[in-house]
């Protein structure tokens, strides 16, 4: 009886893993778990690889996990004779790809940043850099929707001498890009605007800021001149989600700095470990629940006799 229950558990777990892994893979005998019993990492063979690449799939931890809860893939890592490749997933179809090649462009680092994959006007930003993170190639393009192949290119640059980037601006096909850098090819922020349709008043935008190392810090969409609109996300430096919630506008001063940023609806804040720390309800920039703590009154100074 116990053996039958164990077999059913293994089959359910295997089905859960197979159903949630993009592209599929051949399962091997190595599965690691978090302390709460949730799958942390599995090893297998990538079915999409011609050379039988080893595939590691890493999962974010889920607090209060129970069997059957959805597993959240945070990274795919593959390695074969061609090199090492990782694809890191974030909320709202933001994906960051990194590859170190052993063959073509040997010892070069490929970095691709995809966003808006499930929305209008998806974007791919591609860098080819040396191990010193100096850029040799740059491409900004549009990927095929929901895939990682390029449908068209808006801008392509090739540098004979590896260089360090500072600021890039590009206007193409009713789209505007502004990318600023800390140094080399480490992005500080991306500002992307596009026309939703032929109506020139229907401008939409995506904003992404990064920690140094091309790790996302904050991102979401906005509507000029209203400001931040819809779902926004922030991340801790370790890559885990820090907060998520909706905005309904803000104001901008003459220097371009935001102020009077208005939250709306349900907001969730997470710890470095991915557990919920607190939740709030907002209404047009006013905190409804929980109420903000009342400021303590300073004690009145005692009169000297």
């Amino acid at each position: 009886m116990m053996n039958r229950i164990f077999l059913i558990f293994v089959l359910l777990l295997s089905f859960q893993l197979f159903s949630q892994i993009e592209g599929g893979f051949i399962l091997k005998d190595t599965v690691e778990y978090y302390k709460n019993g949730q799958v942390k990492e599995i090893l297998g063979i990538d079915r999409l690889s011609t050379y039988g690449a080893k595939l590691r799939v890493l999962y974010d931890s889920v607090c209060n996990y129970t069997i059957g809860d959805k597993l959240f893939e945070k990274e795919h890592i593959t390695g074969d004779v061609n090199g090492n490749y990782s694809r890191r997933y974030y909320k709202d179809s933001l994906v960051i790809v990194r590859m170190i090649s052993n063959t073509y462009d040997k010892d070069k680092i490929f970095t691709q940043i995809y966003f808006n994959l499930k929305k209008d006007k998806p974007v791919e930003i591609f860098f080819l850099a040396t191990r010193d993170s100096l850029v040799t190639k740059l491409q900004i393009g549009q990927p095929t929707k929901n895939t990682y192949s390029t449908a068209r290119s808006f801008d392509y640059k090739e540098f004979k001498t590896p260089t360090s980037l500072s600021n890039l601006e590009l206007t193409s096909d009713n789209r505007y890009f502004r990318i600023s850098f800390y140094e080399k090819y480490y992005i500080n922020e991306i500002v992307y605007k596009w026309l939703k349709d032929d109506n020139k008043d229907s401008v939409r935008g995506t904003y992404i800021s990064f920690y140094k190392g091309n790790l996302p810090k904050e991102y979401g969409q906005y509507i000029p001149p209203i400001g931040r609109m819809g779902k926004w996300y922030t991340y801790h430096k370790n890559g885990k989600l820090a907060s998520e919630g909706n905005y309904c506008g803000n104001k901008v001063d003459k220097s371009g700095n935001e102020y009077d940023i208005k939250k709306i609806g349900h907001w969730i804040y997470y710890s470095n470990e991915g557990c919920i720390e607190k939740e709030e309800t907002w209404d047009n920039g006013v905190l409804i629940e929980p109420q903000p703590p009342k400021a303590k009154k300073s004690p009145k100074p005692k009169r000297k006799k």
Side-chain angles (χ1 to χ4, degrees), residues 189-251:
E189 62 180 13
I190 297 172
V191 176
Y192 171 51
K193 300 178 185 177
W194 72 91
L195 289 178
K196 188 173 177 61
D197 48 46
D198 293 333
N199 181 0
K200 293 185 179 180
D201 295 327
S202 62
V203 179
R204 297 291 185 272
T206 298
Y207 173 83
I208 313 175
S209 64
F210 293 83
Y211 295 108
K212 191 172 181 180
N214 294 338
L215 299 173
K217 183 177 183 181
E218 180 182 35
Y219 70 97
Q221 295 202 339
Y222 62 96
I223 301 177
I226 300 171
R228 300 184 180 210
M229 293 293 290
K231 201 68 169 283
W232 278 65
Y233 305 89
T234 64
Y235 279 85
H236 295 292
K237 285 186 177 181
N238 65 2
K240 287 189 176 292
L241 189 64
S243 70
E244 58 181 328
N246 288 277
Y247 288 106
C248 61
N250 62 266
K251 297 177 182 177

Side-chain angles (χ1 to χ4, degrees), residues 117-292:
L117 284 176
K118 297 179 180 179
K119 299 181 179 179
D120 292 332
K121 307 295 190 292
V123 176
E124 172 203 16
I125 298 174
F126 165 81
F127 298 97
L128 180 62
T130 66
R131 287 190 179 271
D132 293 326
S133 301
L134 293 173
V135 179
T136 60
K137 292 179 184 178
L138 163 70
Q139 176 177 289
I140 300 176
Q142 176 181 322
T144 304
K145 204 162 188 178
N146 295 325
T147 70
Y148 303 103
S149 58
T150 305
R152 59 184 299 195
S153 176
F154 302 118
D155 193 26
Y156 178 83
K157 292 182 173 64
E158 188 166 351
F159 306 97
K160 292 182 178 179
T161 303
T163 185
S164 180
L165 297 176
S166 54
N167 289 286
L168 293 173
E169 285 195 61
L170 170 68
T171 301
S172 174
D173 189 27
N174 291 328
R175 305 176 192 229
Y176 167 79
F177 299 89
R178 178 169 59 80
I179 308 174
S180 62
F181 296 80
Y182 290 107
E183 60 174 342
K184 300 181 179 180
Y185 85 130
Y186 297 124
I187 297 175
N188 178 19
E189 62 180 13
I190 297 172
V191 176
Y192 171 51
K193 300 178 185 177
W194 72 91
L195 289 178
K196 188 173 177 61
D197 48 46
D198 293 333
N199 181 0
K200 293 185 179 180
D201 295 327
S202 62
V203 179
R204 297 291 185 272
T206 298
Y207 173 83
I208 313 175
S209 64
F210 293 83
Y211 295 108
K212 191 172 181 180
N214 294 338
L215 299 173
K217 183 177 183 181
E218 180 182 35
Y219 70 97
Q221 295 202 339
Y222 62 96
I223 301 177
I226 300 171
R228 300 184 180 210
M229 293 293 290
K231 201 68 169 283
W232 278 65
Y233 305 89
T234 64
Y235 279 85
H236 295 292
K237 285 186 177 181
N238 65 2
K240 287 189 176 292
L241 189 64
S243 70
E244 58 181 328
N246 288 277
Y247 288 106
C248 61
N250 62 266
K251 297 177 182 177
V252 180
D253 63 21
K254 293 181 180 179
S255 300
N257 300 311
E258 295 176 303
Y259 68 98
D260 193 18
I261 301 174
K262 295 177 181 179
K263 294 180 178 180
I264 191 170
H266 186 213
W267 274 77
I268 307 175
Y269 303 86
Y270 302 88
S271 68
N272 277 296
E273 290 74 37
C275 300
I276 294 177
E277 284 190 324
K278 66 175 180 176
E279 299 180 64
E280 296 174 340
T281 301
W282 292 78
D283 181 15
N284 198 30
V286 178
L287 181 60
I288 303 300
E289 185 184 357
Q291 292 296 326

Side-chain angles (χ1 to χ4, degrees), residues 19-57:
S19 65
Q20 295 186 56
I21 292 176
E22 182 182 336
F25 72 112
I26 302 171
L27 184 67
K28 296 188 75 175
D29 58 355
T30 304
V31 181
E32 291 189 17
Y33 300 86
Y34 289 101
K35 290 181 180 179
N36 62 7
Q38 179 210 333
V39 175
K40 178 180 181 180
E41 170 186 327
I42 57 175
L43 296 181
I45 302 298
D46 189 353
R47 292 192 311 177
L48 302 179
S49 170
T50 307
Y51 300 95
K54 294 179 180 179
L55 172 64
R56 292 174 63 203
V57 181

